[in-house]
Amino acid sequence: MAKGGGGSGLIWATAEDLARNRPVVLSLYRQILRALNSPELPLGHAARLAKKAECRAIFIFGAEEKSVHNIRDLVEAARHTLGLLNRGRVP
């Protein structure tokens, strides 16, 4: 269902889209927080807490997103971040 005015081309997420993405997003969020706890990451305690707070802020911001394209981009970015964390690199 397209709802953008002026030819914006945005496609807004329906309730079904949001419900379908919820388990994926929650899983990615938990996996990222778990990966931030890894002792393989070169982070001190304060830096680790700061990264977790940054992660929470991004996911809270993303929870308010209604564009299907933006939701897809956020999920893709989360998967990329998780891949970096799993390789022991800090994004």
Side-chain angles (χ1 to χ4, degrees):
M1 155 190 248
K3 287 187 181 177
S8 64
L10 292 177
I11 298 175
W12 301 106
T14 63
E16 293 83 21
D17 294 330
L18 296 174
R20 185 174 43 248
N21 285 323
R22 183 177 171 88
V24 173
V25 171
L26 286 175
S27 174
L28 285 168
Y29 175 68
R30 289 180 186 132
Q31 289 177 52
I32 289 173
L33 288 180
R34 207 173 297 126
L36 284 170
N37 281 331
S38 172
E40 295 178 13
L41 289 178
L43 293 173
H45 183 67
R48 197 173 304 275
L49 290 176
K51 283 291 183 186
K52 286 181 181 183
E54 182 181 347
C55 178
R56 272 187 219 100
I58 290 169
F59 274 86
I60 287 171
F61 169 75
E64 297 173 1
E65 189 56 57
K66 300 296 182 206
S67 164
V68 173
H69 301 294
N70 291 346
I71 292 169
R72 190 177 313 130
D73 289 344
L74 287 168
V75 168
E76 184 179 320
R79 286 186 176 133
H80 177 72
T81 299
L82 185 59
L84 289 174
L85 289 169
N86 287 337
R87 288 191 296 268
R89 295 173 44 197
V90 180

